[in-house]
Amino acid sequence: MENKDSEAEIHPLKAEDVKAQENHDSSVERRIVIKQSSRLSRLSRWRTAAFFVSLFLCLIIVFAFSFIIPCPERPVSERTWFRNYDNAVAYRFLAIEDVNEDKVQDVVFAFKASNSSSSFNSSCVDEGLPSPCAFVAAVSGTNGRALWERPVAEEIEWMECGIKQLGGSEAPGCLVMGKPVSLTAVDLQTGEVRWRQSSDFGANFTVLTPVSVIPDVDSDGVQDLMIFIATGDKIKTFIHSGKSGDQIGAAGSLNVGGKARYVRLNLDSASYFLFYTENSLYAYSLKELHSAATGMDIKLPSLGQDPQWEKSIDRSTHRLPLVRCE
């Protein structure tokens, strides 16, 4: 203690410097604490302001959707509905498809009349057809409201709906075979005619249904169609472009012994068409049918041939052996 006092007496300026340094450090610490508390206070005010602004915006949105912006009117779903077509004759065709994309199956049908129903102002003359003519129509499955009606041909021989990419459209379509012989592609959602092509299928023919959708063989980016026409004991094959309806190549001819029907068998790398009669079974690969119609042998993954099936098919008659069950 005496040493410290004596040292202070000897170095009075040094002691004063130490005290001044201590006071300065204390002042700096107080300023730092004040700045930190000021920043925290300012940050707290910003958070409070952001919270109230967000709350105010949420209230505005809720108020707008609740009272200002009207809710879309949904069609009332009826348990049963009835729609009458005066002076019209129905064809034996009916399809169930979701036409207006409301997740409810709608009804597509065909009828013959001079004019459309009162819901649409269209007539046979609008499409250059004699009156009366065949109309294709779609009505809502929810309440029976008419969605569209379109005159397509003088008479309808056959019709199939739900064909994807028909006419190059993203929406599926309906393919109508009319009389005189013509093929018409109709958009399923709008009823618009995508394309119409005349065809020569011969006389007294029968269409083997359903139409077969095959891979794109004409390189237009849209899958194509294969149609089988039966005339007596022969079956003619026609390939048409799914995008334009143009015929691809020439008609092929298959010999079968009697009235035939067919089923399509899709394997991993090949497709086969099996034509069956009362006593016989015939098999043709898609590759062979395409080559016979176009005279070309193109390389596509789905236009292959299965070795096991090729061994079983008689190359001269295209018959498959039948196993008898006793």
Side-chain angles (χ1 to χ4, degrees), residues 4-5 26 80 99 108 172-173 189 216-217 225 244 254 280 283 303:
K4 289 183 179 181
D5 293 339
S26 177
T80 60
V99 176
V108 183
Q189 291 183 352
D216 178 22
V217 296
L225 309 171
S244 63
L254 313 177
S280 302
L303 289 182

Side-chain angles (χ1 to χ4, degrees), residues 184-206:
T184 304
V186 180
D187 190 289
L188 189 59
Q189 291 183 352
T190 63
E192 296 180 358
V193 174
R194 292 296 180 183
W195 50 258
R196 180 181 281 115
Q197 295 287 347
S198 59
S199 300
D200 184 12
F201 294 150
N204 300 323
F205 65 87
T206 303

Side-chain angles (χ1 to χ4, degrees), residues 13 26 69 75 103 118 135 141 147 164 200 210 226 266 269 323:
L13 294 178
S26 177
I69 302 176
K103 298 182 180 180
S118 58
F135 285 77
L147 300 176
K164 296 181 179 180
D200 184 12
M226 180 172 284
N266 293 318
S269 60
V323 178

Side-chain angles (χ1 to χ4, degrees), residues 12-273:
L13 294 178
K14 184 177 180 180
E16 291 179 0
D17 291 341
V18 171
K19 290 182 179 180
Q21 182 66 32
E22 291 177 353
N23 293 334
H24 176 72
D25 293 342
S26 177
S27 176
V28 170
E29 290 178 358
R30 283 197 300 272
R31 284 198 296 269
I32 292 174
V33 171
I34 292 172
K35 287 183 179 179
Q36 289 179 347
S37 61
S38 176
R39 289 177 182 174
L40 291 175
S41 177
R42 193 179 300 115
L43 182 61
S44 178
R45 286 197 297 271
W46 278 110
R47 287 177 177 174
T48 303
F51 170 76
F52 281 106
V53 169
S54 301
L55 181 62
F56 182 70
L57 291 176
C58 290
L59 291 175
I60 290 177
I61 293 173
V62 171
F63 179 79
F65 278 96
S66 299
F67 302 101
I68 299 176
I69 302 176
C71 295
E73 294 184 4
R74 297 182 179 273
V76 179
S77 180
E78 300 179 5
R79 186 177 296 273
T80 60
W81 49 263
F82 174 81
R83 186 169 185 85
N84 186 37
Y85 282 80
D86 297 325
N87 302 320
V89 179
Y91 287 94
R92 298 181 62 182
F93 171 82
L94 191 70
I96 305 298
E97 300 284 346
D98 185 7
V99 176
N100 55 359
E101 296 184 323
D102 62 352
K103 298 182 180 180
V104 176
Q105 295 296 300
D106 305 309
V107 182
V108 183
F109 62 100
F111 64 91
K112 187 173 184 179
S114 299
N115 298 290
S116 62
S117 66
S118 58
S119 302
F120 298 90
N121 186 20
S122 60
S123 64
C124 302
V125 180
D126 296 337
E127 295 292 332
L129 299 171
S131 182
C133 65
F135 285 77
V136 177
V139 296
S140 171
T142 302
N143 51 24
R145 179 177 62 88
L147 300 176
W148 53 262
E149 296 173 0
R150 179 75 59 181
V152 293
E154 293 184 31
E155 293 280 355
I156 291 181
E157 174 71 22
W158 161 84
M159 181 174 168
E160 184 174 334
C161 288
I163 302 175
K164 296 181 179 180
Q165 293 186 333
L166 190 61
S169 174
E170 294 183 359
C174 296
L175 184 64
V176 181
M177 181 178 292
K179 289 183 178 180
V181 181
S182 63
L183 290 175
T184 304
V186 180
D187 190 289
L188 189 59
Q189 291 183 352
T190 63
E192 296 180 358
V193 174
R194 292 296 180 183
W195 50 258
R196 180 181 281 115
Q197 295 287 347
S198 59
S199 300
D200 184 12
F201 294 150
N204 300 323
F205 65 87
T206 303
V207 183
L208 300 186
T209 57
V211 65
S212 286
V213 179
I214 63 175
D216 178 22
V217 296
D218 58 353
S219 302
D220 61 0
V222 177
Q223 56 192 3
D224 299 313
L225 309 171
M226 180 172 284
I227 302 173
F228 297 103
I229 303 296
T231 55
D233 291 345
K234 291 186 177 181
I235 295 177
K236 294 182 179 180
T237 61
F238 295 84
I239 301 177
H240 286 263
S241 168
K243 185 175 184 178
S244 63
D246 295 330
Q247 184 174 342
I248 301 173
S253 181
L254 313 177
N255 290 319
V256 294
K259 186 177 180 180
R261 296 182 179 274
Y262 88 95
V263 293
R264 181 175 177 176
L265 178 65
N266 293 318
L267 304 178
D268 292 336
S269 60
S271 292
Y272 283 85
F273 294 88

Side-chain angles (χ1 to χ4, degrees), residues 214-215 217 226 228 237 239 254 264-266 269-273 283-306 310 315 318:
I214 63 175
V217 296
M226 180 172 284
F228 297 103
T237 61
I239 301 177
L254 313 177
R264 181 175 177 176
L265 178 65
N266 293 318
S269 60
S271 292
Y272 283 85
F273 294 88
Y284 292 84
S285 67
L286 175 58
K287 179 180 180 181
E288 189 173 8
L289 294 177
H290 172 266
S291 299
T294 62
M296 297 184 297
D297 187 11
I298 61 175
K299 302 296 183 181
L300 287 176
S302 56
L303 289 182
Q305 290 179 317
D306 185 82
E310 293 301 318
R315 301 316 307 170
H318 281 272

